[in-house]
Amino acid sequence: MADSAPIRSRPGAIRQYQLLRRQKGMSAATVNRETSALSRMFHLAIRLERLDNMPRLPERLEENPPRQGFFEHKDYLKVRAHLPESYQDVLDFAYYSGWRRREITELTWEEVDLDGGVIRLAPVRSKTKVSRVLPISTPLKSVLKRREKKRLTADVHVFKHDGVTVRQWKVAWNNACQKAGVPGRLFHDCRRTAARNLIRAGVPERVAMLLTGHKTRCVFDRYNIVNERELATAGERLADYLDERATADRKAS
């Protein structure tokens, strides 16, 4: 390894950078990810023998707790009722697929295989850069059939505003949530809801991740998404175990 002077610990300088980023409006979570990326770069440089050591990094910033926003079905229906029809189709697709907003709004007819019953998302359009296949469930098929009826020959994208102005489209979501009595809800809540509903329906986590495009299972930890049936089963197993132990103890005495 080439001789190099040791890197002096400068946690103060890095902390100043963190504070500067916070002042510019970056979230604590974003700043923590940037600091983690810096740490990985130092470790890689050491592994490649470009550096002998790395500075001591400051502790992570305290992050806000993750949003726990979920759409109960009745709330989804209330919000839907106050949206323009074209926006209703976007919401329906999000609620039943768990896809990200841009994955939906930029969906092309070329990616839709109605006869095969699947939608194929290209890697270039996926946030994780991994292709995905989404089976077309009955609700999604209804959405696509409605969009197909309004499709013009030159249309490339599945979803359009259908005459709704850009200005109206931008405020439609917040207005609908206000009228539905659920102000502050995010469109992204549909994604969390879909992941939770898949698990509640008994779909294995691995399959749920493939459908929604989550690369790691951290979403289930972050939003405390668990299979409630498994929890109930675990509770019953515990009760059965204690009953068996009590019976065994009585026989032994």
Side-chain angles (χ1 to χ4, degrees):
M1 182 184 298
D3 293 337
S4 60
I7 299 177
R8 297 188 180 280
S9 177
R10 294 289 304 278
I14 299 174
R15 177 64 81 188
Q16 288 178 353
Y17 166 81
Q18 292 176 324
L19 295 177
L20 179 63
R21 293 290 284 163
R22 291 289 283 139
Q23 291 171 4
K24 290 185 176 181
M26 298 297 104
S27 68
T30 296
V31 177
N32 283 337
R33 285 196 292 270
E34 292 174 346
T35 308
S36 295
L38 178 62
S39 176
R40 288 195 296 273
M41 285 188 280
F42 275 120
H43 280 102
L44 181 60
I46 292 173
R47 190 184 311 161
L48 296 176
E49 299 185 351
R50 302 293 179 87
L51 292 175
D52 290 325
N53 55 80
M54 62 180 285
R56 179 170 56 86
L57 301 183
E59 295 181 0
R60 293 169 57 86
L61 299 179
E62 183 177 354
E63 300 181 12
N64 293 326
R67 277 186 57 88
Q68 295 294 327
F70 294 99
F71 265 114
E72 298 306 328
H73 194 70
K74 59 182 177 61
D75 293 332
Y76 147 72
L77 293 176
K78 288 179 182 178
V79 172
R80 186 183 189 280
H82 294 289
L83 287 170
E85 287 187 7
S86 53
Y87 212 134
Q88 289 178 357
D89 287 341
V90 175
L91 173 60
D92 290 348
F93 195 101
Y95 186 75
Y96 286 100
S97 71
W99 278 20
R100 300 174 179 88
R101 179 193 287 269
R102 289 189 62 179
E103 292 174 346
I104 298 170
T105 57
E106 297 178 6
L107 180 67
T108 66
W109 285 109
E110 185 177 327
E111 295 170 311
V112 178
D113 182 0
L114 277 173
D115 293 334
V118 295
I119 297 171
R120 296 181 175 87
L121 183 68
V124 69
R125 285 220 311 111
S126 172
K127 182 180 178 181
T128 58
K129 304 305 178 185
V130 177
S131 62
R132 298 209 305 275
V133 175
L134 177 68
I136 300 176
S137 62
T138 300
L140 292 180
K141 187 173 183 179
S142 298
V143 172
L144 294 172
K145 287 294 185 182
R146 289 197 299 269
R147 301 312 309 164
E148 193 174 41
K149 288 181 180 179
K150 297 187 178 184
R151 180 184 181 184
L152 301 178
T153 304
D155 286 343
V156 174
H157 293 98
V158 174
F159 297 99
K160 302 185 302 178
H161 292 185
D162 294 348
V164 179
T165 67
V166 174
R167 181 181 178 84
Q168 291 173 326
W169 188 272
K170 286 183 177 180
V171 300
W173 177 260
N174 288 337
N175 288 345
C177 290
Q178 288 283 351
K179 293 176 181 178
V182 288
R185 288 293 176 83
L186 301 179
F187 188 84
H188 193 75
D189 290 343
C190 293
R191 182 162 168 77
R192 285 185 281 269
T193 301
R196 182 198 64 179
N197 290 345
L198 284 167
I199 298 303
R200 283 183 171 180
V203 176
E205 285 185 6
R206 180 181 61 81
V207 177
M209 287 165 56
L210 289 173
L211 292 173
T212 60
H214 287 100
K215 200 167 186 178
T216 66
R217 68 169 309 281
C218 65
V219 64
F220 302 103
D221 294 329
R222 184 169 174 79
Y223 300 116
N224 196 28
I225 297 173
V226 295
N227 189 323
E228 294 171 354
R229 285 188 292 184
E230 288 186 359
L231 292 180
T233 300
E236 291 298 328
R237 287 179 177 176
L238 174 60
D240 291 342
Y241 168 76
L242 294 176
D243 285 343
E244 290 175 1
R245 287 296 303 271
T247 301
D249 289 344
R250 284 196 299 270
K251 290 180 178 179
S253 60

